[in-house]
Amino acid sequence: MAVDTWSETETFLSGVLCPPDPDFARALDVSEQADLPVINVSALQGKQISMLARIAGARRILEVGSLGGYSALWLAKTLPPGGRMVTIENNPVHAVVAADNIKAAGLDDRVDVRVGNAAEQLAQLVEEKGEPFDFFFIDADQHNNVTYFESCLRLGRSGSVIVFDNVVRSGEVRNLETSNGAVRATQRVLELVSSSDRVDGVVFQTVGHRGHDGMLVIRMS
């Protein structure tokens, strides 16, 4: 009963707040044709992260986990003139789909799709010593969330915002006896956020078509 209500409410809110966009529709269609897993953010979640990026005034955005480029489109469309985005994808097939969808939307001039192991790619970005990123969206293999968090601290600045997706996992995050390595890594990130004076964070729980989950939103001090 609750899940039906969540799903119907998400459909309603998406219909009101997320106007149809041919770029988003194409990205989903192409991803489906390429048999990519249906694990992309929903339209409402895409609007949520894009709104957070706008509130942060993000000119430089870093995403870990491109999949088919759907969330990258939501974020890239928020960039002001001269803004840049890097999105990292480990799966070469997924990266090709993401790059194609980004190019079809006319955003390839501001989005750099990097292919390879995310931890290695992040280390390379640290080595490049470029401008700090203003906004991070982490939606990849959660076993490496601690590495991603530490990399974001190196690549960000005071005021940068870091968003981790899928941190609640139907409430499993509260299970301190869990054997799930992904959940344990997320729990460790929560501990690091709680104990650090460099950041502050909060979890926004979400419900919808895919059940109960949430995003961890962190601001660097």
Side-chain angles (χ1 to χ4, degrees):
M1 185 81 161
V3 175
D4 288 341
T5 301
W6 297 343
S7 182
E8 291 167 7
T9 302
E10 183 176 10
T11 297
F12 168 76
L13 293 173
S14 296
V16 174
L17 298 172
C18 304
D21 184 310
D23 296 328
F24 295 145
R26 181 188 184 280
L28 294 176
D29 288 343
V30 171
S31 296
E32 181 179 4
Q33 293 166 17
D35 290 325
L36 268 60
V38 186
I39 55 175
N40 53 273
V41 298
S42 67
L44 200 60
Q45 291 167 332
K47 185 70 175 284
Q48 288 168 346
I49 60 173
S50 70
M51 183 66 71
L52 288 171
R54 287 181 188 275
I55 292 170
R59 297 181 57 86
R60 285 177 54 81
I61 296 174
L62 175 60
E63 176 183 57
V64 178
S66 314
L67 193 59
Y70 183 71
S71 54
L73 291 178
W74 275 103
L75 291 168
K77 284 173 178 280
T78 73
L79 288 170
R84 296 289 300 170
M85 177 175 178
V86 174
T87 181
I88 300 171
E89 175 56 49
N90 186 50
N91 186 307
V93 174
H94 297 178
V96 168
V97 174
D100 178 63
N101 284 326
I102 290 165
K103 183 176 182 179
L107 297 169
D108 54 317
D109 63 332
R110 68 197 72 176
V111 182
D112 177 15
V113 180
R114 298 199 176 195
V115 187
N117 177 274
E120 295 174 0
Q121 291 293 322
L122 290 168
Q124 178 61 38
L125 284 167
V126 171
E127 286 294 319
E128 291 173 12
K129 298 181 179 178
E131 293 181 50
F133 289 93
D134 310 305
F135 188 87
F136 302 83
F137 181 53
I138 312 300
D139 190 14
D141 55 315
Q142 297 178 333
H143 293 79
N144 287 312
N145 272 353
V146 174
T147 296
Y148 299 154
F149 173 68
E150 292 173 345
S151 296
C152 289
L153 294 183
R154 295 187 182 97
L155 291 165
R157 57 165 178 78
S158 175
S160 290
V161 174
I162 308 166
V163 179
F164 283 83
D165 198 13
N166 305 124
V167 300
V168 174
R169 299 172 69 99
S170 300
E172 181 66 10
V173 70
R174 75 188 191 282
N175 180 8
L176 300 182
E177 305 300 323
T178 184
S179 60
N180 187 315
V183 176
R184 290 201 306 270
T186 296
Q187 291 170 338
R188 179 56 182 154
V189 171
L190 290 169
E191 292 170 359
L192 291 171
V193 170
S194 174
S195 62
S196 173
D197 58 3
R198 293 187 58 191
V199 297
D200 195 10
V202 68
V203 170
F204 293 100
Q205 295 189 73
T206 59
V207 293
H209 301 309
R210 298 175 192 165
H212 176 207
D213 215 325
M215 294 183 182
L216 169 60
V217 180
I218 302 163
R219 183 182 183 277
M220 294 178 59
S221 303

